[in-house]
Structures are given as C-alpha cells and as structure tokens.
Amino acid sequence: MSLIRSSLLVGLGSMASRVLGFVRDVLFAQALGAGPVADAFLAAFRVPNLVRRIVGEGGLNPALVPALGALEPDEAAKTAGDVLAVFGLTLLGLTALVEIGAGLLALILAPGLHDDSETLALVALYTRLSFPIVLCVTLASIGAAILNMRGRFAATALAPLAVNGGLILALVVLEAGLSLPLAQKAAWLAASSSLAGLIQLAFIAAALWNSEIPLVRFRKPRWSPLLKSLLLAGFPVLVASGAVQLFILAATQIASFWPSGVSWLYYAERVMQLPLGLMAALGSSLLLPELARRHQSGDTQAIVAAQNRALEVALLLALPASAALFIIARPMTSVLFERGAFQSSDAEGTALVLMALSVGLPFATAAKVLSQTLFARGSLRAALMAAVLGLVLTLAASLLLAWPLGPTGIALGVSIGCLGHAGAVAIGLRRFGLWSPDRALTARLMRIVVAVLAMSLALLAAMSTIMSAIAQGGALSLAALCLGGLAIYALAAWATGAVTRDDWAVLTKKS
C-alpha cells in the first residue's frame, strides 16, 4: 500500500473521529452547559478521556511496535497474547481501586471543589460510571498496534468511532425522548461512555480473530524479559506520548478554582485537538513504524531526512490551523457551542482560552513528530524527561498567569509547556545526532509562513464583514469563512512553493 493511501485511511479515520467528537461536544454543551454539573462531569471524564486519547492515538505503539516487530510471527503472536492478558488483569485491578476510591480521586481531579461537597460527590459518581472505558480502550489500543504492525489499518481507523458515536446516540436519546435533571443526564452519559468503549474493544477483537495469520495466541503469561521490558516501558511511554493531554490535565486542576473554568478549558481544548490529534494518529501509525525500520538498518541520514519531511507536513497543517483558530475563536465557539444551557458569556470565555491554546499548537505538533524518533530508538528516558519538563513549565506558568488572567492565563501556561516540551525533544535528538534542520526544511518553513500570513490577512479582512451574519447563528457563514481561508492558504502555499507537484510524487511512492 502506498504511503498516501495509508495516510488517507488513517487520516480519514482520525478526522472522522474528531468530527464526531466535535458533534459530541456541541451536544454536551447544549445538554449540560458550563455550570457545576458540567464541571463535575467533565472533571470526572478527564482521566478516561485522557487515556482514550493517548492510547487511541497510538500511545502504546512506541513500546509495542519495535519490540514485537523484531520477533518471528509465531513468537510475536504469543507475546502479544501475554501482553493483552497481563494488561487486562492489571487494568481490572486498577478499575476496582478507582471504584472504591472514587471520592479521593474526585478531590485530586478537582481540588477547587473541596468546599462544594455536592458537586464533588457528582464527580465521584461520574468517575465510577465512566472509568471502565479505560480498560476497554487500552486493550483495544494494544490490539490496534498489533494490526498496524501487520499493515492492517482499516479496523484501527474505524474502531475509535464507536465511542463518540455511542455518546452522540445517548445524547440524542436523552435530549429527544427524556426530560431528566442535569445530574441524571450526566450520569447516563458517563455510563454510556463505558458501554461504547466495550463496543470498540469488540470491534478490534473481531479484526484480530478474523486474520488469516494468527496475530494473537493466548496462553498462561510467561514472565519473559521482553514482557517485563514492555510493562516497565508502558508508563513512561504513555506519559511521553500523552504529554499535551497531561499538560491539560494539570491545567484542569488549576482551572477548577474558577467558576466554569473546567468547562471552558475542556471545550477550547477539544477544538484545538482536531489538528493535533490528526498528526498524532499519523505519527504513531505511519511515521513510527517507518522510523523503527530505518533505525534497525542504522541509516541515520535517512532517519533525519524522514523527520524533516514529516515535520514539514506537520507544520504545513499546524501553522495555518493555529493562526485560524486564534483569529476566528470567538465566532467558532459561538456557532459550535452557544445554545441551550451554554450561554454567551461561556462562549466568550471559551474563545479566550482557545486563543491562548492555539499559540502552543505548532509546538505541540512539532513535539509529536520529533518524539517518534526517540520512541523508535528506544530512548524512553529522554522522551519522558522532555514530557516532565513540559509539565513543570505548564504548572509554573499556569499558576503564575492564572491570577491576573484567569482561565486564559492557565491556557497560556499550557502553550508555554508545549514550547518547552518541543525544545527539550529537539535538544535530546541533537544530542544523539538524530536531528538537524536541513535547508529544505528551513526553506519550506519560510514559504509556509508567507502563506499563513496571506491567509491571516484575508481572514481578518473578512471578519469585519461577516461577524454580523455569524452572530445571528450563521453556521453557513462560519463555514464559508473557514473554507475561504483554506482556499486562500492552499493557493498561497502553491504560489510560494510550500506545496509542489514533487510532494505528491513522494507521497505516492510505495512504502
């Protein structure tokens, strides 16, 4: 399969999941608004959603793909069965602990609610109902990594749609057929998320079962050195892969001290995650296996070249997305969320948070791409240290900026953490002699910046004339603004040489 076909399959699946996620969050805002119940639900949903995003974007792939790919098919299938069995038993125990200690976990997730016992109790309830999804999506992610390693991308691209699709269905039923208090609506949604995760796991299990060549063989798990290394690598890999999500989790704890702060941060981050999640899925599913193969062959120059070309593609998407989100944040949050229980003041607060988060989007994207080489090389310590540095910067900057700027300052702290994370990854790679920006990357970046400036000027000019139409609920006007900006950027990118015919030829080569 050519790289472009693989990329399109993974990319379209990821994009479809993100679009469904948008629809889900629009319905969340309509059903729950941005008050105490919404804060409680979103605080409880933060950890399950964090795990779902990390593992759904291939967070365990850096530990699994290089290790299993080096084994013979039969031994790889047995080891994969051992991994699934051990992770399953471990996660069952963890789920039991969470069910018992949900009250303490609720206080950790939302310390700002320590004086509000009623809302804190709701956080605990929703945590108990939603946490089983962690077991399901983690096992599904391991199965997806095994399928990706064998070049089977269809099931792994489509399976994540089950979670968002199931929650959308639950929201439609709750809004259309039932008239329930907000607290009960949130409880049903939390339970629905766990059921949707079970459906996703069943989908992946069916794909593994229907393979012509057995991909998984179950037996009594053997405590082999490989299994031990995979388990020990699991935690640092998840931390390093989900660095941005961890930054958001830390920011959420600080935001819980502000009314509606948790909700504003959640909805803004969901918009920002659309382009970031796409690059994460492409990186873990396509770039990581390619880099792992090149690392095994010892071709350092090929690794550096592959990184630079991947970084070009990532910034080609991330830079215009960052600029567009910053410019049209207010109309976007208004059209997407301002309805039902979600008020105009909530849309304004969410827009300011989104503008602050958009600043860090290019840095978060660059870190996603560059960190794949550390994973392929097995340098988990360097990747972990870079993530820890970013987390420390996020906490320090968020606390410093929160008091004068509120949730907007907290979001700026996240962007500063993304900058520190990307810088630490780049420094680590240069220390290993595995990255240096070449002339092609520098020239392409300059052209991309020119195209982004052209798009930004056009968006700013159009905003003054189209804002009144958008303010009247004009989703079509917002869509026209977005598509117009995209068209101008595409034309400018072609005119400046940021995108050329040779790029398509490279993408369509057989991988």
Side-chain angles (χ1 to χ4, degrees), residues 46 244-252 265 269 272 357 414:
R46 176 60 70 182
V244 176
Q245 285 84 359
L246 290 174
F247 302 166
I248 295 290
L249 179 62
T252 299
L265 183 61
E269 184 247 349
M272 194 261 293
L357 287 178
V414 174

Side-chain angles (χ1 to χ4, degrees), residues 19-322:
V19 170
L20 287 180
F22 262 134
V23 175
R24 178 200 72 189
D25 292 328
V26 168
L27 295 175
F28 272 170
Q30 179 177 338
L32 303 180
V37 172
D39 280 356
F41 175 80
L42 295 175
F45 197 56
R46 176 60 70 182
V47 170
N49 207 34
L50 167 72
V51 175
R52 188 178 69 84
R53 286 186 198 169
I54 294 175
V55 300
E57 293 171 358
L60 287 171
N61 288 17
L64 292 170
V65 171
L68 295 180
L71 301 175
E72 294 297 325
D74 186 64
E75 186 61 28
K78 293 177 181 178
T79 304
D82 293 346
V83 171
L84 284 168
V86 172
F87 265 88
L89 293 173
T90 303
L91 288 169
L92 276 175
L94 177 62
T95 302
L97 289 175
V98 169
E99 297 298 317
I100 296 171
L104 177 60
L105 182 59
L107 186 60
I108 296 173
L109 291 172
L113 301 176
H114 64 279
D115 290 331
D116 189 346
S117 58
E118 184 176 346
T119 304
L120 205 58
L122 289 177
V123 176
L125 171 63
Y126 302 152
T127 298
R128 290 189 174 97
L129 292 173
S130 63
F131 197 83
I133 192 179
V134 171
L135 168 66
C136 298
V137 298
T138 303
L139 295 181
S141 174
I142 296 173
I146 296 168
L147 291 169
N148 286 342
M149 188 178 63
R150 301 304 177 192
R152 298 184 58 184
F153 299 105
T156 60
L158 297 176
L161 303 180
V163 174
N164 286 332
L167 285 172
I168 289 172
L169 179 61
L171 280 161
V172 170
V173 171
L174 288 172
E175 287 294 289
L178 299 173
S179 179
L180 297 175
L182 288 180
Q184 291 185 28
K185 282 183 182 180
W188 279 105
L189 288 175
S192 299
S193 67
S194 292
L195 178 60
L198 183 60
I199 295 173
Q200 178 181 345
L201 176 59
F203 196 92
I204 292 294
L208 290 170
W209 181 264
N210 291 329
S211 175
E212 295 180 0
I213 301 175
L215 300 180
V216 176
R217 293 182 183 275
F218 287 105
R219 61 184 180 182
K220 183 178 179 180
R222 297 180 181 178
W223 193 248
S224 64
L226 177 59
L227 179 59
K228 181 180 179 181
S229 66
L230 284 174
L231 292 176
L232 291 177
F235 177 72
V237 162
L238 287 177
V239 171
S241 299
V244 176
Q245 285 84 359
L246 290 174
F247 302 166
I248 295 290
L249 179 62
T252 299
Q253 294 177 295
I254 301 173
S256 67
F257 288 90
W258 275 261
S260 301
V262 173
S263 300
W264 293 352
L265 183 61
Y266 175 85
Y267 292 123
E269 184 247 349
R270 291 297 297 138
V271 177
M272 194 261 293
Q273 279 289 342
L274 179 61
L276 181 60
L278 173 61
M279 290 313 305
L282 290 173
S284 63
S285 297
L286 297 173
L287 181 59
L288 174 61
E290 179 66 18
L291 289 173
R293 286 192 293 269
R294 296 190 182 191
H295 180 71
Q296 289 176 358
S297 68
D299 193 345
T300 301
Q301 290 185 345
I303 292 174
V304 174
Q307 279 182 142
N308 284 329
R309 303 296 77 80
L311 194 57
E312 289 174 7
V313 175
L315 294 177
L316 186 69
L317 298 174
L319 285 173
S322 173

